[in-house]
Amino acid sequence: MPLATYQKKRKFKETPEPKGSKSKKHKRLLFVIHKHDATRLHYDFRLEMDGTLKSWAVPKGPSLNPQDKHLAIMVEDHPYEYRNFEGVIPEGNYGAGPVIIWDEGWYTARAETSNPEKELLKGLKEGHITIVMHGKKLKGEFALVRTSPQKNWLLIKKGDEYASEDDILKKDKSVRSNRKIEDL
Ligand code: MN
């Protein structure tokens, strides 16, 4: 998905969000999870792949409980620089409302492979990826599985040492600024 869809939806004279471009290759694949209080509060799950951030809106947010299958709606790719975005999207703009960096870190494909990114892009096409997350809040294995309609996926924690029934969403501060979404 090109960034054109992302760019078309936004008025860069008004919004503090980055216009963005594709990133160069670097050592680790990064992820960011935004908490975004737009029309409805949701979490945006963004995984770096192919120089952009593949993105899903997760209304209920991520869970550490492997019993939970939370809907994750695939949205347009976001620019790599978006991983640094925290702020308020002004009223009258797409996605208006405050955004914090709820979690961030690096991740990789669970499968042992010399080229995790290639493996992940293949999985994305096939509708099933399993990743290992190294975030401040989210750690261990997670799966994203496509259902129907095609933009609907499920975000599922895999059973491992990081699986838990604790509500991770209670940790509600930005991992960058320590602010809560209400503080913006
Ligand atoms: Mn959002």
Side-chain angles (χ1 to χ4, degrees), residues 10 34-38 42-44 46 57 75 78 82 89 95 99:
R10 289 170 176 81
H34 285 117
K35 183 178 181 182
H36 183 187
D37 194 5
H42 62 275
Y43 293 76
D44 290 297
R46 309 191 195 280
V75 299
H78 279 50
Y82 209 88
I89 303 171
V99 177

